[in-house]
Amino acid sequence: MSKPGQRVLAALRQMILSGELTAGERLAEIPTAERFAVSRMPVRLALRTLAQEGLLERSGARGYQVRALTGADLEGAVEVRGVLEGLAARQAAERGLNAATRATLEDCLRRGDRLFAKGHVRLEDLEEYHDLNRAFHQAIVAASGNPAIGLALGRHEHLPFASVSALAVDAEDLEREYRRFNFAHLQHHAVFDALVRGQGARAEGIMREHAQATLGYARWFGGEEGEAGAVRVLV
């Protein structure tokens, strides 16, 4: 997806989760494109992606509407992803990392270190983090040697925030977002350490906590948990 498409996608996710876009509210391509000052194509792809993730549902022939979500919906989806990715991390640690996988993970960590070393983030930094985060998670799933995990995650991605690619960003509070994303990056370092040491149980626990922290950030950094509109999500 193009950079404009990623920006629209992340902004719409955040608007849904913050309650700015309420359950049942309709979204159409032209007014949404005008709202973000982009062409219709990135909006079309963003709306389609949000529907695949379970945040929107079809409304009429061409439009979408915001799906009604509860905190339980989000918690259940994230918990299942944590179980699957935790299993992948445990099996990857037990099998051992090959040189190519280790190099991929180390590259993701180095890129993240550079992003956070300056003590703040811009929206462009978070777009780069989105890409390296996805690569990091996908490498661990592949390293498990268990194709069933990837298949299960693929089927699970239609649930709200069950996909590692589902990134919500609060552009109005990038200081807070720095703390959230940096925390997640430190967890990446921790799980990598467990993987290279062959500590399967530890790697599994960190990955499950990594997913659960998606919901916990709101509480740790001053937000509230409960209904979907009160939850800010990072994956």
Side-chain angles (χ1 to χ4, degrees), residues 108-109 112-113 116 129 132 181-189:
C108 291
L109 294 176
D113 289 344
F116 299 113
Y129 182 82
L132 71 87
F181 282 77
N182 187 48
F183 183 87
H185 181 62
L186 293 175
Q187 288 184 315
H188 284 179
H189 273 284

Side-chain angles (χ1 to χ4, degrees), residues 10-78:
L12 289 175
R13 283 198 194 102
Q14 182 64 25
M15 292 166 73
I16 292 169
L17 290 170
S18 69
E20 184 176 348
L21 293 175
T22 59
E25 186 168 346
R26 293 194 75 252
L27 291 174
E29 287 181 16
I30 294 177
T32 304
E34 292 173 350
R35 181 174 195 167
F36 291 101
V38 297
S39 67
R40 292 176 62 181
M41 181 56 69
V43 170
R44 182 177 305 161
L45 293 175
L47 295 178
R48 187 180 303 163
T49 299
L50 291 170
Q52 291 171 347
E53 293 174 4
L55 293 177
L56 299 180
E57 55 192 4
R58 278 287 187 180
S59 176
R62 295 180 177 272
Y64 294 87
Q65 67 181 23
V66 179
R67 178 182 165 191
L69 297 172
T70 67
D73 293 325
L74 299 180
E75 290 170 8
V78 170

Side-chain angles (χ1 to χ4, degrees), residues 64-106:
Y64 294 87
Q65 67 181 23
V66 179
R67 178 182 165 191
L69 297 172
T70 67
D73 293 325
L74 299 180
E75 290 170 8
V78 170
E79 183 174 10
V80 171
R81 179 165 67 84
V83 169
L84 291 170
E85 290 191 331
L87 175 61
R90 177 170 64 79
Q91 293 186 341
E94 291 171 350
R95 294 180 77 232
L97 300 180
N98 61 36
T101 299
R102 179 164 181 160
T104 296
L105 295 176
E106 288 177 334

Side-chain angles (χ1 to χ4, degrees), residues 1 50 81 84 86 89 106 121 128 160 168 212 224:
M1 186 179 292
L50 291 170
R81 179 165 67 84
L84 291 170
E106 288 177 334
V121 290
E128 182 176 351
Q212 287 298 316
E224 296 178 357

